[in-house]
Amino acid sequence: DNHVENAVEKLESCTQIVDAASLLKNGEVVAFPTETVYGLGANALSNEAVEKIFAAKGRPSDNPLIVHIAAMEQLPSVASEVPAKAAQLMDAFWPGPLTVILPNSDRVASLVTAGLHSVGVRMPDHPVALALIGAAGVPIAAPSANRSGRPSPTTASHVLADLEGRIAGVVDGGATGVGVESTVIDVTVEPPMILRPGGITREQLEEVIGPVRLDPTFQAGAEETPRAPGMKYTHYAPEGEMWLVAGEDPRVREEMKEMLREAKGLGRKTGVLATEESADFWRAHPDADVVLSVGSRADLQEVAHRLYGALRDFDDSGVQFIVGETFPRDGLGMAVMNRLEKAAGGRIRKV
Ligand code: TXA
Ligand code: MG
């Protein structure tokens, strides 16, 4: 019965965690769920272990990794100092989707920090991640568990699609909750600066520590290099050419129809990144071959949760041209729009 099945499932995940923890202790890389996306973990105090993360992902070595801890006692082994505002943020949002940039301890492997004097640290809000890091007994460096250039994985099967045969294992904890990565904030500058929008919103941060800035290089067309090294890479561009259309309906819908008609005229397989509000319309539209909804516009948490899976699905179905709606940038919308703009490689049409 259900009771027994649940107990068996729990036991299985226990042995998975014990096995994964001993792999981590032995310097291997293992993927695991967090509340944001799946991470690819290794002992953050060992260069030899961390090297395997870069190799498995095909990640450029000038892009530093986030270090994950399970308890505050682990913080001194990672960071040499905790500014007052950082402590306030940890109090308010840990465990949770917030990465805080701190001056690094010299115990952290140099490959983790990519030679910087700072380190990004977070305590994930996921029982499997916390149990695994606790059992490993060392801080765990973990980027998202995708091949470089692919969307971050939100299920164990996304991880396997990218990394099977290249990593020691994956602990399957089902689909992740938040769906986009953690917010990265630098509190070593004043006022503090968001280097990557994510699961904790600017509004939430400002409630706790007052005004925070946004890395100005988020703006489309900015020419400076972003301060978070990872933000400069084309994180993910689908195989197909993706465009966002911004503005008000009905002009947005008219423009999208026009773009799809043109693409079909060129013989391309088309896709629409839609919402619950628009999906039925697009499913009935002859020029839209693949229509994927990311949920209701009124529920940005749902949109964030489903976004990366939808982008992977477009690739899997061989779509060559994608048009998508945009979202207001408040709250979680800032992270959603940042990821969409990256996927579209900055191709936005304003109508
Ligand atoms: O939600 C997340 O943060 C996920 C899960 C697995 O925890 N991890 C994740 O890691 O997204 P990754 O490596 O894919 O992204 C880390 C981002 C990159 O943009 C990197 O450049 C930035 O954080 N970063 C890391 N350390 C930094 C530092 N010391 N200074 C500035 N940026 C840093
Ligand atoms: Mg990543």
Side-chain angles (χ1 to χ4, degrees):
D1 71 326
N2 234 349
H3 219 70
V4 175
E5 261 169 45
N6 284 346
V8 169
E9 242 168 57
K10 257 198 189 133
L11 259 182
E12 275 169 5
S13 62
C14 271
T15 55
Q16 272 195 61
I17 289 171
V18 171
D19 290 347
S22 61
L23 285 167
L24 288 171
K25 281 189 206 164
N26 289 330
E28 296 300 327
V29 292
V30 175
F32 61 95
T34 79
E35 80 280 34
T36 57
V37 300
Y38 274 73
L40 182 60
N43 177 356
L45 308 181
S46 159
N47 258 328
E48 217 185 318
V50 171
E51 216 283 315
K52 294 179 186 166
I53 293 178
F54 287 92
K57 280 188 59 108
R59 177 171 172 124
S61 61
D62 66 343
N63 191 7
L65 308 178
I66 293 170
V67 178
H68 298 67
I69 60 174
M72 289 311 274
E73 290 79 59
Q74 288 182 306
L75 192 55
S77 64
V78 181
S80 63
E81 212 185 301
V82 180
K85 283 185 181 175
Q88 282 175 283
L89 290 175
M90 292 168 185
D91 236 32
F93 300 114
W94 280 9
L98 181 70
T99 296
V100 183
I101 304 293
L102 298 169
N104 66 297
S105 128
D106 51 20
R107 292 187 58 196
V108 175
S110 58
L111 268 175
V112 168
T113 60
L116 301 172
H117 298 291
S118 59
V119 62
V121 192
R122 88 177 188 99
M123 188 186 292
D125 187 16
H126 194 292
V128 171
L130 292 171
L132 176 64
I133 300 163
V138 286
I140 298 296
S144 48
N146 51 291
R147 285 295 288 266
S148 250
R150 295 271 292 153
S152 293
T154 53
T155 66
S157 59
H158 292 165
V159 175
L160 290 175
D162 281 14
L163 297 174
E164 189 158 27
R166 307 176 66 90
I167 60 176
V170 52
V171 183
D172 188 349
T176 61
V178 179
V180 293
E181 299 87 341
S182 63
T183 301
V184 179
I185 187 166
D186 186 353
V187 287
T188 66
V189 294
E190 195 50 53
M193 190 186 279
I194 294 175
L195 304 186
R196 178 179 73 182
I200 298 288
T201 66
R202 178 186 195 169
E203 295 84 346
Q204 285 176 292
L205 295 167
E206 292 192 324
E207 257 176 55
V208 176
I209 55 166
V212 300
R213 286 177 291 172
L214 294 179
D215 184 338
T217 57
F218 293 159
Q219 313 320 322
E223 280 173 12
E224 272 175 274
T225 305
R227 284 160 186 81
M231 299 291 285
K232 72 173 180 281
Y233 298 105
T234 320
H235 258 221
Y236 165 67
E239 314 273 323
E241 177 185 334
M242 181 164 175
W243 282 87
L244 300 175
V245 181
E248 306 265 316
D249 270 331
R251 290 229 298 280
V252 167
R253 221 171 253 199
E254 286 310 310
E255 182 67 18
M256 285 168 78
K257 272 165 49 183
E258 183 58 34
M259 291 167 86
L260 290 168
R261 196 180 59 84
E262 218 171 274
K264 284 308 288 178
L266 294 169
R268 297 165 102 179
K269 184 168 183 182
T270 61
V272 177
L273 187 74
T275 52
E276 208 172 275
E277 289 79 1
S278 67
D280 285 344
F281 172 84
W282 290 118
R283 288 199 178 105
H285 186 71
D287 292 334
D289 296 324
V290 177
V291 178
L292 297 176
S293 169
V294 285
S296 169
R297 299 187 66 78
D299 185 356
L300 280 172
Q301 289 189 347
E302 180 72 9
V303 173
H305 173 75
R306 290 165 67 167
L307 182 63
Y308 284 140
L311 293 175
R312 278 182 182 259
D313 289 346
F314 280 126
D315 277 353
D316 292 347
S317 44
V319 168
Q320 295 160 304
F321 183 84
I322 306 161
V323 283
E325 300 171 24
T326 61
F327 297 86
R329 281 167 207 266
D330 357 281
L332 209 47
M334 193 195 291
V336 166
M337 278 306 294
N338 173 261
R339 304 312 190 270
L340 277 175
E341 279 170 351
K342 281 181 175 295
R347 285 183 289 261
I348 295 199
R349 188 162 292 178
K350 299 199 171 81
V351 296

